[in-house]
Amino acid sequence: QLEVVESGGGLVEAGGSLRLSCVVRGRHFQMYHMGWFRQDPGKELEAVSCISLSGDKTYYRDSLKGRFTISRDNTKNTVYLQMDNLKPEDTAMYYCATVRTQETLGVIDRCEAATYRGQGTQVTVSS
């Protein structure tokens, strides 16, 4: 059983930055691929970024490449999402979760939320 707790959301102006953190409480964190997802009211949950067990492979939603960076620290059971040059369309509730990944030729090309997910942290970007 894992507990996933996100933090770091808030209100920021367009062009600004935020760093989200996700602390995972429980055993064997290093055995889980992890990811960030977001959801606006009335819209589907969408994958933002995912990272492999050791952090050597990452996945980003195409529209976010170059602005968001995912990382993890297995000594701290923590996953991070650095978000730069934020845009109003990035406004959403952001969730951290364990994930299932799909690879093609050694590259993660798909990830989906798996068993454990946090309560989310709200990110609001003003124009």
Side-chain angles (χ1 to χ4, degrees), residues 21-66:
S21 296
C22 167
V23 175
V24 179
R25 301 183 178 123
R27 299 178 65 184
H28 308 306
F29 169 73
Q30 67 275 13
M31 295 178 63
Y32 293 90
H33 300 298
M34 297 296 301
W36 288 95
F37 298 79
R38 67 186 185 184
Q39 188 171 28
D40 244 353
K43 295 184 179 180
E44 292 187 358
L45 188 72
E46 61 181 31
V48 171
S49 181
C50 296
I51 190 166
S52 61
L53 303 178
S54 64
D56 62 332
K57 297 178 182 178
T58 57
Y59 163 87
Y60 295 95
R61 190 173 192 82
D62 284 344
S63 60
L64 304 177
K65 290 179 180 177

Side-chain angles (χ1 to χ4, degrees), residues 87-108:
K87 302 177 181 181
E89 53 263 42
D90 295 319
T91 295
M93 184 70 79
Y94 283 71
Y95 300 93
C96 177
T98 58
V99 302
R100 288 183 292 270
T101 61
Q102 173 182 289
E103 294 187 14
T104 302
L105 299 177
V107 176
I108 300 174

